[in-house]
């Protein structure tokens, strides 16, 4: 309900609005996707390279029972 | 429509809209709903029965008080169905996976009289499907009228870019830390990752109401002006996609079973004791799941009594029970689930199958509907129903916890439930959209295709199931007949399938192929048989296959351990695609792959870069192997599919279109599923937004 907000200049906001409307998404969605991609790119240069056994088990549990995979 | 009934209808419509607006407002004001139970480690959003009663009463009073205000507000905004509308009500019946070749031959043979009637009233055509021809992808395109690059669903699975682990494509779990009165609280949140706008949300913004039942990729449901009951990928209470339990007095193999648990009863003469597992246990006391204790008393050769708490339920061999409530206690909270029980055998040995524990629609512990009260309203109208995304227990059948007969019985029980809720909602949809997807058609074809394909390597149980698929088509035809009886010529009716069906005889392990051709490397160059990509040496791997149809390159700057530089992406894709298009099955020298698709040429939109780099268009009879989906590397690339799951639809989409019927005439020769959202908007006189890629197809 009260998610964090960031400030943008009016000019940039108008530009984003135009791009977002042609893509069929909101300005919020457009910004989130672009920022997330960049954040992933930055984070990919650091951090753990392997998942823990608990993380693998958690994923296996979530997918359990999905007919298309074993 | 009878004009004398109009004023009364209008009043009912207005009251209905007011109720729904209120439901919507209340649901958006209740933040707990967004932070529901979603799996291990997650919290619960539990709505107790007292709270439900209170809310329902309060809502009724508020509806009465606010109705005049809402009427004035609506009139002032000039919203609703306009003069350009071609219909005031559109009914959409989705029959997942209905195959055009079968439909056409059965139409010809006069076995589908209602679909024939519909064709004669309006139109029939094959319906183009998405790349890949998978339900999550195709139904997402159906909803939004955009290609996968714009709605972000490319498969059942995607890969986590950090560790390249497979994960569900349609939902994402995030942990949010919030500070309330200075106290930090961590809460898990499940988010729908399907992007763009479904047509029902756009119609809602024009004041046109929709009732959306079980259209895949709607979990968790998004609020809009209307009601939605979520479908595919809604988990069970354990947080899985459906885990059955099988209790038996027979000795149990020590092997690991997929999709469920096999356990022995604890026996005391003719009383058998067992525990049904429910939600993950948040307490650190050694137990992984919270359980409910059950007792089975054997009464004779054919029946037994199930005792849960103070309640008793009679069980008969070979007959599914009704939905039985199961209350799981976590501290002072109660999480309510429902399951069906099936006594499989009662004699020298006793065996009992228990369905995955579904969230109880009367007291939903998961966000299965929007507004949340919609599932409770439905349950009161039609009785308790299953809420799991994939209700038909295909793994239960693969692992022989169910036989063909009991699997079919379960599929039709689910179908009957779906019909009941659909006709209940259709009756109350005086205008706007009423849409429902029926899945039995897809699941029955997955499991019974071996009875239609003499060359299939999977064993058959009995010739009695030879006609299981044609009989299912006839049943779907009767469903269409019942819909035709309930609609007027002014209504628009669309009957469609998202893709067709084909045999799945041979599996292709793409990860094994990539390993054998030097694109994928193993740790110490050794295969240990570990699943979930645990054998992979990412520092030397250029490409890997994840999910049902995609190959990803391990790209620098995208995957955490990426090694493929941007300049090498194009040539590497071309090289892999060229080699895979030439792949030959050594068993009979057949071509296994018809075409490799470069997604940078096929998809467009904000999410196009999230797609697999290549998508495989298999030849009929082939599919990705079971082991390859989650990253297991084997010795051989090709293998026979000997599972009961014997039909599939992952082949080249050009080979596997769906079907399209309507009581309106078509003005386009080859409609595509991407045209459906703009078509429905156009029927209501709403101009499709410019980001939609399809076009209206009905006159």
């Amino acid at each position: 309900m009260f998610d964090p907000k960031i400030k943008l200049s009016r000019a940039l906001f108008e530009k984003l609005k135009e791009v977002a409307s042609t893509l069929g998404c909101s300005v919020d969605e457009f910004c989130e996707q672009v920022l997330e991609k960049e954040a992933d790119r930055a984070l990919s240069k650091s951090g753990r390279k392997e998942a823990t056994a608990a993380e693998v088990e958690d994923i296996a549990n979530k997918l359990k029972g999905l007919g298309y995979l074993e | 429509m009878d004009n004398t009934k109009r004023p009364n209808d209008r009043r009912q419509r207005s009251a209905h809209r007011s109720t729904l607006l209120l439901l919507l407002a209340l649901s958006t004001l209740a933040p707990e709903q967004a932070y529901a139970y979603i799996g291990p480690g997650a919290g619960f959003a539990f709505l107790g029965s007292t709270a439900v009663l209170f809310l329902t009463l309060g809502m009724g009073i508020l509806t009465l008080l606010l109705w005049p205000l809402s009427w004035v507000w609506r009139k002032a905004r000039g919203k609703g169905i306009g003069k350009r509308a071609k219909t005031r009500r559109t009914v959409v019946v989705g029959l997942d996976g209905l195959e055009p070749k079968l439909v056409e031959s059965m139409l010809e043979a006069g076995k589908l009289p209602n679909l024939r009637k519909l064709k004669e009233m309006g139109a029939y055509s094959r319906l183009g499907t998405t790349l890949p021809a998978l339900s999550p992808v195709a139904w997402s395109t159906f909803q939004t009228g955009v290609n996968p690059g714009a709605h972000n669903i490319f498969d059942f699975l995607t890969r986590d870019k950090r560790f390249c682990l497979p994960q569900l494509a349609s939902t994402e779990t995030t942990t949010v830390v919030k500070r309330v009165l200075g106290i930090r609280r961590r809460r898990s949140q499940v988010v729908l990752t399907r992007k763009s706008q479904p047509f029902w949300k756009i119609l809602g913004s024009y004041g046109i109401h929709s009732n959306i039942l079980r259209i895949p990729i709607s979990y968790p449901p998004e609020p809009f002006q209307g009601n939605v009951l979520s479908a595919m990928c809604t988990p069970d209470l354990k947080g899985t996609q459906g885990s059955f339990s099988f209790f038996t007095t027979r000795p149990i193999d020590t092997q690991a079973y997929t999709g469920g648990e096999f356990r022995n009863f604890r026996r005391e003469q003719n009383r058998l004791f067992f525990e049904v597992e429910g939600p993950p246990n948040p307490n650190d006391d050694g137990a992984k799941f919270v359980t409910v204790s059950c007792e089975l008393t054997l009464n004779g050769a054919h029946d037994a009594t199930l005792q849960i708490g103070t309640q008793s339920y009679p069980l008969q061999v070979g007959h599914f029970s009704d939905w039985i409530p199961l209350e799981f206690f976590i501290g002072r909270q109660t999480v309510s689930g429902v399951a069906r029980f099936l006594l499989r055998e009662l004699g020298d040995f006793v065996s009992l199958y228990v369905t995955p524990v579904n969230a109880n629609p009367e007291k939903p512990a998961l966000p299965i509907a929007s507004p949340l009260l919609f599932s409770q309203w439905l349950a009161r109208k039609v009785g308790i129903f299953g809420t799991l995304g994939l209700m038909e227990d295909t793994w239960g059948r693969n692992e022989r916890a169910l036989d063909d007969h009991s699997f079919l019985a379960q599929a039709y029980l689910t179908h009957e439930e779906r019909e009941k809720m659909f006709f209940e909602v259709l009756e109350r949809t005086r205008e706007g959209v009423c849409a429902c997807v029926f899945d039995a058609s897809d699941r029955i074809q997955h499991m019974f295709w071996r009875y239609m394909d003499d060359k299939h390597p999977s064993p058959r149980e009995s010739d009695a199931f030879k006609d299981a698929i044609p009989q299912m088509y006839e049943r779907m035809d009767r469903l269409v007949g019942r819909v035709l009886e309930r609609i007027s010529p002014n209504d628009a009716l669309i009957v469609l399938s998202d893709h067709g069906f084909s045999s799945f005889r041979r599996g292709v392990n793409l990860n094994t192929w990539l390993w054998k051709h030097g694109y994928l490397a193993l740790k110490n160059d050794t295969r240990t048989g570990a699943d979930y990509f645990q054998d992979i040496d990412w520092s030397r791997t250029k490409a890997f296959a994840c999910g049902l149809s995609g190959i990803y390159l391990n790209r620098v700057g995208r995957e955490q351990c990426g090694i493929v530089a941007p300049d090498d992406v194009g040539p590497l894709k071309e090289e892999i695609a060229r080699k895979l298009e030439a792949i030959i099955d050594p068993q009979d020298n057949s071509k296994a792959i018809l075409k490799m698709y470069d997604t940078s040429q096929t998809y467009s939109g904000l999410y196009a870069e999230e797609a697999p780099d290549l998508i495989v268009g298999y030849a009929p009879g082939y599919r990705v192997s079971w082991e390859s989906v989650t990253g297991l590397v084997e010795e051989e690339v090709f293998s026979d599919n000997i599972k009961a799951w014997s039909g599939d639809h992952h082949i080249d989409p050009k080979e596997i279109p769906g079907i399209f019927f309507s009581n309106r005439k078509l003005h386009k020769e080859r409609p595509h599923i991407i045209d459906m959202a703009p078509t429905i908007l156009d029927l209501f006189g709403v101009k499709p937004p410019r980001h939609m890629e399809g076009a209206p197809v009905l006159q």
Side-chain angles (χ1 to χ4, degrees), chain A residues 1-3 18 21-26 29-30 32-34 36-37 40-52 55-70, chain B residues 40 156-157 161-163 165-166 168 195 238-243 258 260-261 288 390 394-395 442 446 523 532 534 548 557 560-561 606-607 609-610 623 626-627 629 643 645 649-650 690-691:
Chain A
M1 208 167 181
F2 301 106
D3 283 337
E18 196 185 329
S21 77
T22 59
L23 291 168
C25 61
S26 65
E29 186 185 335
F30 179 76
E32 247 182 55
Q33 171 61 8
V34 172
E36 187 157 354
K37 213 154 51 181
D40 282 348
R41 217 185 295 273
L43 285 172
S44 75
K45 290 171 188 156
S46 62
R48 272 187 300 132
K49 304 281 181 196
E50 296 245 354
T52 62
E55 283 166 336
V56 175
E57 193 189 337
D58 181 44
I59 281 171
N61 189 56
K62 280 180 184 153
L63 298 179
K64 189 173 183 177
L66 185 59
Y68 292 81
L69 56 99
E70 188 155 23
Chain B
F156 268 101
L157 303 183
K161 281 177 272 186
R162 205 164 154 213
F163 303 125
L165 287 171
L168 265 186
K195 305 294 184 181
K238 288 175 90 171
T240 76
Q241 290 299 300
S243 296
T258 304
E261 315 293 339
K288 206 168 165 190
L390 298 158
T394 52
W395 272 111
D442 179 81
H446 274 303
K523 289 174 191 163
Y532 292 96
Q534 296 305 289
L548 294 155
Q560 184 168 1
C561 303
L606 187 55
Y607 303 94
E609 278 186 36
E610 304 298 321
R623 198 203 87 167
W626 293 102
E627 291 75 12
V629 179
K643 294 197 190 304
W645 180 290
H649 41 81
H650 300 173
R690 61 179 170 155
H691 71 265

Side-chain angles (χ1 to χ4, degrees), chain B residues 604-624:
Chain B
S604 58
L606 187 55
Y607 303 94
E609 278 186 36
E610 304 298 321
D613 295 283
L614 291 165
I615 288 184
V616 185
Y618 291 99
Y622 291 89
R623 198 203 87 167
V624 66

Side-chain angles (χ1 to χ4, degrees), chain B residues 229 361-362 364 368-369 371-380 385:
Chain B
L229 182 68
E362 280 193 322
I368 55 172
L372 192 61
L373 296 176
F374 183 53
S375 73
Q376 293 156 341
W377 175 82
L378 259 180
R380 279 172 196 173
F385 54 86

